[in-house]
């Protein structure tokens, strides 16, 4: 499983009420250009081309739990699956989580997963961003 990497600005955005992780529309988009912790918004990144089953802006995450227990908040979501249809998707190496709801800043980044090498999906193939149902997408302590 790829490791989640936090965007630095996410911490400030949480403190300044940019995110409502339990209610906002969170999405995962794909890129083949490495994000860095100092990126802040979706426009800082180079998304792969839309088409063949991949939609510009990525795919929404279905949030299944957004709750705190004993002072630890955990955000849990269902896996996101990308399926190539009618051609290839990619190449991509990184899956990026961002918030599609806020307008200021627009599309603030939350974090990303590095899959270690470029992936290309041929027609009919799928790629799953495995969102850990036990530990969640992220935890705030």
């Amino acid at each position: 499983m790829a490791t989640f990497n936090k965007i630095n600005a996410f911490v400030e955005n949480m403190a300044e009420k940019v995110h409502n992780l339990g209610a906002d529309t969170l999405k995962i988009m794909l890129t083949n250009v490495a994000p860095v912790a100092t990126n802040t918004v979706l426009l800082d990144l180079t998304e792969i081309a839309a088409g063949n089953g991949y939609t510009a802006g990525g795919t929404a995450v279905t949030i299944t739990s957004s709750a705190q227990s004993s002072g630890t908040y955990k955000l849990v979501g269902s896996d996101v699956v990308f399926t190539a249809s009618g051609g290839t998707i990619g190449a991509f190496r990184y899956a990026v989580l961002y918030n599609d709801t806020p307008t200021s800043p627009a599309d603030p980044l939350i974090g990303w997963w590095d899959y270690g090498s470029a992936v290309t999906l041929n027609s009919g193939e799928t790629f799953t961003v495995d969102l850990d149902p036990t530990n969640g997408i992220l935890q705030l302590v």
Side-chain angles (χ1 to χ4, degrees):
M1 175 184 257
T3 302
F4 182 76
N5 301 281
K6 179 185 67 184
I7 294 291
N8 291 345
F10 172 68
V11 175
E12 180 178 359
N13 287 340
M14 286 300 297
E16 296 177 355
K17 299 191 289 187
V18 171
H19 298 286
N20 180 344
L21 298 177
D24 289 352
T25 299
L26 305 183
K27 289 187 171 183
I28 294 179
M29 62 79 83
L30 303 176
T31 180
N32 205 32
V33 179
V36 294
T38 55
N39 292 137
T40 58
V41 295
L42 189 62
L43 286 176
D44 291 339
L45 305 177
T46 304
E47 184 175 13
I48 65 168
N52 300 324
Y54 180 77
T55 303
T59 298
V61 177
T62 299
I63 300 302
T64 58
S65 175
S66 172
Q68 166 285 132
S69 176
S70 300
T72 298
Y73 168 83
K74 183 167 45 173
L75 180 68
V76 181
S78 297
D79 292 349
V80 173
V81 179
F82 296 94
T83 302
S85 175
T88 61
I89 295 177
F92 62 91
R93 177 174 169 169
Y94 310 94
V96 178
L97 179 67
Y98 74 98
N99 190 338
D100 194 37
T101 300
T103 56
S104 182
D107 302 328
L109 301 175
I110 296 170
W112 78 95
W113 294 267
D114 180 349
Y115 286 91
S117 61
V119 176
T120 299
L121 300 179
N122 295 311
S123 189
E125 293 181 330
T126 62
F127 180 84
T128 301
V129 179
D130 185 12
L131 302 177
D132 186 335
T134 302
N135 297 310
I137 298 168
L138 59 85
Q139 293 186 21
L140 303 175
V141 182

